[in-house]
Amino acid sequence: MAGQTDHPLRGDYSRMRPDYTVDQDYALYTPEEQDLWKRLYARQCAQVPQYACDEFIDVLGTLNFGAGIPHFEEVNEKLHKATRWTLVAVPGLLPDDVFFEHMANRRFPTSVWLRNPEEFDYIVEPDIFHDFFGHVPLLFHPVFADYLEAYGVGGVKAKGLNALDYLARLYWYTVEFGLIQTPKGLRTYGAGILSSGGELPYCIANPKPNRIAFDLMRVMQSNYKIDTFQETYFVIQSFQQLFDATAPDFTPYYEILRGLPSLAANQTIPEDRLIKV
Ligand code: HBI
Ligand code: FE
């Protein structure tokens, strides 16, 4: 989830450590929250087989997230063995530089609070369901796990180059709302989609949004929507393609981007390779 909100943040930031981490106080979760978690999980699992990429589905099957709100320690035991990532409990949205610093050290900031029942269908800020269900399974995927660390390292650098907006677009159109071509057709790997009831079928099956073949500069030139379904999705061929495209030093890219106009979220340009569903 991107860190853009113009309303007071939901989490309790009063008890956090200097690195913005907190403890997961598991006893504080109520039976109603455990029940809401199970209903959210069941709703997403009914749609995942048809719309999520296999890499996500395969890992989700090895995690017991359906049993109730996960314990950070239990998941970290498995995750660290798999890709040396660690989930760190946080109150919610973090300042970009704090978020990048954690990611650059293979620590994924994961919110501890769960949404209210009336937010069953939509929530603006990352809650524990968005982070665990949307983001955590792909942290077990070696190539994707390396991409996220590289993203964090790039973010620390981008802050110094005053280029965070460009990188936030890349995060948004890949980690949060990315699509991937597979032998079975278009699938999603984006956490914002995977944890969303309505956008999961929409991003793959609805003819309305643009679907454009991934192009790094095109993505970083493109604005995005934070409070509606996306009007444009970018499609990668593989995680390796994403990893390779983002390996070089972005400094020259930022210089080029500063000279280009931003594109609206629903805009297409002649150079776009459009993908029809
Ligand atoms: N904080 N907890 C949390 N989770 C995010 O996904 C997150 C964030 N802060 C900023 C942010 N995402 C994005 O703006 C990144 O592009 C930096
Ligand atoms: Fe997110």
Side-chain angles (χ1 to χ4, degrees), residues 1 130-131 135 171 176 191:
M1 192 69 86
H130 167 86
D131 281 333
H135 285 289
Y171 187 84
E176 294 295 354

Side-chain angles (χ1 to χ4, degrees), residues 49-93:
Q50 207 176 343
Y51 302 114
C53 63
D54 283 346
E55 292 83 349
F56 175 88
I57 295 170
D58 295 349
V59 175
L60 188 69
T62 68
L63 302 169
N64 66 338
F65 287 178
I69 295 173
H71 292 263
F72 276 65
E73 299 76 37
E74 277 173 30
V75 181
N76 275 334
E77 185 129 337
K78 286 185 184 175
L79 179 59
H80 203 265
K81 278 197 196 92
T83 57
R84 292 180 297 106
W85 271 84
T86 302
L87 305 179
V88 286
V90 296
L93 275 185

Side-chain angles (χ1 to χ4, degrees), residues 43-44 47 51 120-122 192-206 229 233:
R43 183 205 35 204
Q44 292 315 102
Q47 306 183 96
Y51 302 114
F120 188 72
D121 286 332
Y122 184 74
I193 298 175
L194 289 161
S195 57
S196 158
E199 197 156 2
L200 197 41
Y202 176 84
C203 76
I204 302 291
N206 194 305
F229 288 176
Y233 297 102

Side-chain angles (χ1 to χ4, degrees), residues 195-239:
S195 57
S196 158
E199 197 156 2
L200 197 41
Y202 176 84
C203 76
I204 302 291
N206 194 305
K208 189 158 168 276
N210 303 320
R211 292 173 184 86
I212 303 173
F214 177 86
D215 171 290
L216 181 66
M217 295 298 276
R218 175 70 170 80
V219 170
M220 293 204 283
Q221 207 183 334
S222 305
N223 281 321
Y224 53 83
K225 310 294 287 183
I226 65 164
D227 47 12
T228 63
F229 288 176
Q230 295 309 303
E231 293 171 326
T232 292
Y233 297 102
F234 287 93
V235 183
I236 60 174
Q237 297 301 317
S238 67
F239 292 139

Side-chain angles (χ1 to χ4, degrees), residues 64-229:
N64 66 338
F65 287 178
I69 295 173
H71 292 263
F72 276 65
E73 299 76 37
E74 277 173 30
V75 181
N76 275 334
E77 185 129 337
K78 286 185 184 175
L79 179 59
H80 203 265
K81 278 197 196 92
T83 57
R84 292 180 297 106
W85 271 84
T86 302
L87 305 179
V88 286
V90 296
L93 275 185
L94 302 182
D96 285 354
D97 55 333
V98 174
F99 180 72
F100 286 132
E101 177 62 25
H102 279 302
M103 295 253 286
N105 293 282
R106 292 177 96 91
R107 294 189 302 266
F108 191 81
T110 306
S111 298
V112 290
W113 57 275
L114 183 66
R115 68 189 71 182
N116 299 324
E118 57 275 7
E119 295 167 309
F120 188 72
D121 286 332
Y122 184 74
I123 190 161
V124 182
E125 280 184 58
D127 73 333
I128 190 167
F129 185 76
H130 167 86
D131 281 333
F132 262 102
F133 192 91
H135 285 289
V136 170
L138 282 176
L139 284 173
F140 282 82
H141 187 282
V143 174
F144 200 82
D146 287 350
Y147 169 66
L148 272 187
E149 179 188 355
Y151 184 89
V153 172
V156 173
K157 246 166 61 181
K159 176 119 179 120
L161 297 165
N162 192 22
L164 282 187
D165 287 353
Y166 298 124
L167 212 63
R169 290 168 173 172
L170 177 62
Y171 187 84
W172 192 267
Y173 279 119
T174 57
V175 178
E176 294 295 354
F177 291 94
L179 301 186
I180 183 168
Q181 283 284 18
T182 78
K184 297 178 192 167
L186 275 185
R187 293 291 183 270
T188 185
Y189 64 94
I193 298 175
L194 289 161
S195 57
S196 158
E199 197 156 2
L200 197 41
Y202 176 84
C203 76
I204 302 291
N206 194 305
K208 189 158 168 276
N210 303 320
R211 292 173 184 86
I212 303 173
F214 177 86
D215 171 290
L216 181 66
M217 295 298 276
R218 175 70 170 80
V219 170
M220 293 204 283
Q221 207 183 334
S222 305
N223 281 321
Y224 53 83
K225 310 294 287 183
I226 65 164
D227 47 12
T228 63
F229 288 176

